[in-house]
Amino acid sequence: MSLTGWPLTSVLIAAVLAALTATVWGWGRLAGRGAGRVAGRLGAFLLCQLLVTLLVLVTVNRHFDFYADWGELAGAGGIGGGHLVTVQGKGGPVTAKLIRRKPEIDIGGSPSTDGRIDTVDIRGVRSGLHSHAYVYLPPQYFQPGQDKRRFPVAVGLSGYPGALRNLVTQVKVPQTARDEIKQGRVQPTVYVLLRPSMVRGRDTECMDIPGGPQTGTFLSQDLPEAVRSQYRVAADRNGWGVFGLSTGGYCSLKLAMRDSDVYSAAASLSGYYGAIKDITTGDLYGGSQAVRNENDLFWRLRHLPPPPVSVLVTTSEVGEKNKEGTERFLSMVKPPMRATSLVLDSGGHNFSTWNRVLPQALQWMSRSIRA
C-alpha cells in the first residue's frame, strides 16, 4: 500500500472513526477503580492518540511527498535483481548494474516530443551500495537520426531525508528541463535523479565514511559507469555535471571539487559548505582530522589547489541561513575554479524557492557541460 495513496489514508480515517466510536460507546463499561478498567481506559486513550497521530503524519507526507514508499521511509536506497552489464572502468573491467523498469511517472506526450522518465535501480560494485533513481531522457534521444548522438548528463540530488519523488512532483526537474529544452534555453540533456544517501536510516553526507558506507565512491564511480553502460551519454568529465537541493547542494559542490575528473560543473541550490553532524549522521569521520578536513569545502579552498570546475551557488537576502557561508565561499574561489551566484531578494529553504531558481540553474548547467 503506497505511502502517498488514498487507500492508506482511507484505512486510517476509518480506523480513527472506529476507535473513537468504540471508545465513546464503551467508556461507561470501563468506569471504576479496578486495575483492569484503568488499563482499559488507558489503552483506549493511547490507541486513539496513536491512530490520530499516524493519520496526521500520513496526510502531511501525502501533501509534501517526503517519502514515496516504505523503502524510502526506512532509508533503503533501492532493490536488487536484474541483469549484469560489464563496462570498462579506469582500472579494467568493472561489473556495474543498472536495471531499467517500467516508467512510473508519465509527463505527457510521447518520448519523441516530451521525453521519457525511466525508473531504475543502480548497484555499485566498488561501494557495495545501491540506489533507486529516475532517468529523464530528452525528446531528442528518441528522434530519427539521433541514434549515435551522445548526450551530456546532469545528476540531480534531493535533500535529506527528502523523497526521491520530490524531484519530480515538487521541484519538477524533468518537466522544467523538458520545457527549457523545447524553448532552446537548455541543450538536450539526460538527467539522473536520486537521493544523496543510499544507507538505511543514515545521512552519510555523500562521504566515504571510514569503516562505513562509501557513498562518495558510489556517486563518483559506480553511478557514472552504470549510466554509461545503459544510455548514450558523454564519456568524459566535460559532459557531466551535478546539482542538488540543500544536502544535495553540498554534496554536488563536494563531488565536483573532489572528483573534478568525473564532474566538470556543480550547482548548489540552498546548499551548505561543510558536513553537518547530528543524530542522523552518526560518526562521519572515524576520529580522523584528515577526513574531517577533506569534507570541509572552506578547508579545501584554503589548503588544496583549486579544481578546474565551474560552480553555481544560490541563496537569498532574506530567508536562507546559508547567505554568510555563500559569501565566504565565493570570496575564496580562485582560478581555474569558477563560481557564479544566484541571490534572491527573499526565499526560504523550501520547494517554492527551488522552483524559482531551477530554470536558471538548468540553463547555467547547460552552458557549463557538453557532450
Side-chain angles (χ1 to χ4, degrees), residues 171-226:
V171 188
K172 296 181 171 59
V173 174
Q175 299 91 324
T176 304
R178 174 199 60 194
D179 295 343
E180 292 294 314
I181 291 171
K182 286 185 175 182
Q183 294 297 322
R185 293 187 289 260
V186 168
Q187 65 175 314
T189 302
V190 171
Y191 292 86
V192 181
L193 310 177
L194 67 161
R195 298 176 70 224
S197 182
M198 298 92 217
V199 182
R200 187 180 300 276
R202 187 176 186 185
D203 176 10
T204 60
E205 294 288 297
C206 300
M207 286 178 51
D208 283 343
I209 299 175
Q214 305 294 289
T215 311
T217 295
F218 177 90
L219 292 169
S220 63
Q221 298 184 48
D222 292 331
L223 172 64
E225 288 184 354

Side-chain angles (χ1 to χ4, degrees), residues 3-338:
L3 276 175
T4 57
W6 275 113
L8 178 60
T9 304
S10 300
V11 168
L12 285 174
I13 291 174
V16 168
L17 293 176
L20 290 174
T21 301
T23 299
V24 172
W25 181 78
W27 195 257
R29 297 185 179 185
L30 297 174
R33 294 186 176 184
R37 297 192 177 191
V38 172
R41 293 196 298 270
L42 180 61
F45 174 77
L46 291 177
L47 177 61
C48 291
Q49 288 285 89
L50 175 62
L51 290 173
V52 169
T53 300
L54 287 175
L55 177 60
V56 170
L57 291 175
V58 168
T59 302
V60 170
N61 183 71
R62 177 180 172 81
H63 178 74
F64 290 103
D65 272 333
F66 290 122
Y67 300 98
D69 54 43
W70 297 98
E72 286 187 354
L73 178 62
I79 54 178
H83 60 281
L84 294 178
V85 180
T86 300
V87 298
Q88 190 71 22
K90 297 177 182 178
V94 175
T95 302
K97 183 187 291 185
L98 186 152
I99 306 98
R100 283 186 287 186
R101 305 189 182 279
K102 182 179 180 181
E104 288 185 355
I105 300 176
D106 181 10
I107 60 173
S110 66
S112 61
T113 59
D114 291 273
R116 186 182 79 193
I117 299 178
D118 283 353
T119 303
V120 304
D121 297 312
I122 301 172
R123 184 178 295 275
V125 66
R126 289 188 176 92
S127 65
L129 300 175
H130 64 288
S131 178
H132 188 56
Y134 297 133
V135 178
Y136 172 70
L137 303 170
Q140 290 77 5
Y141 195 92
F142 305 97
Q143 293 173 358
Q146 303 290 314
D147 57 311
K148 296 187 182 301
R149 178 177 179 179
R150 290 189 173 272
F151 295 82
V153 178
V155 175
L157 301 173
S158 71
Y160 184 89
L164 168 60
R165 185 176 287 262
N166 286 344
L167 292 173
V168 177
T169 61
Q170 297 289 344
V171 188
K172 296 181 171 59
V173 174
Q175 299 91 324
T176 304
R178 174 199 60 194
D179 295 343
E180 292 294 314
I181 291 171
K182 286 185 175 182
Q183 294 297 322
R185 293 187 289 260
V186 168
Q187 65 175 314
T189 302
V190 171
Y191 292 86
V192 181
L193 310 177
L194 67 161
R195 298 176 70 224
S197 182
M198 298 92 217
V199 182
R200 187 180 300 276
R202 187 176 186 185
D203 176 10
T204 60
E205 294 288 297
C206 300
M207 286 178 51
D208 283 343
I209 299 175
Q214 305 294 289
T215 311
T217 295
F218 177 90
L219 292 169
S220 63
Q221 298 184 48
D222 292 331
L223 172 64
E225 288 184 354
V227 172
R228 288 187 182 114
S229 74
Q230 289 291 306
Y231 296 103
R232 304 192 311 275
V233 297
D236 60 35
R237 67 180 294 275
N238 293 322
W240 282 72
V242 56
F243 67 97
L245 323 170
S246 187
T247 298
Y250 161 68
C251 290
S252 298
L253 293 177
K254 180 168 63 173
L255 283 167
M257 294 173 68
R258 191 192 74 166
D259 299 291
S260 59
D261 59 328
V262 178
Y263 298 103
S264 63
S268 172
L269 280 57
S270 304
Y272 43 92
Y273 303 94
I276 63 173
K277 187 177 186 301
D278 58 25
I279 192 172
T280 67
T281 63
D283 180 12
L284 294 173
Y285 311 114
S288 170
Q289 186 62 43
V291 175
R292 181 186 297 271
N293 291 341
E294 182 182 282
N295 290 276
D296 183 330
L297 303 190
F298 295 130
W299 186 93
R300 297 187 71 93
L301 289 174
R302 189 164 50 246
H303 294 283
L304 299 179
V309 297
S310 298
V311 300
L312 170 70
V313 291
T314 79
T315 187
S316 301
E317 293 288 351
V318 178
E320 283 281 16
K321 296 181 180 180
N322 72 335
K323 184 175 182 292
E324 182 179 346
T326 297
E327 292 174 344
R328 180 185 176 193
F329 179 84
L330 292 169
S331 71
M332 298 175 69
V333 172
K334 298 177 181 178
M337 186 176 177
R338 295 180 296 176

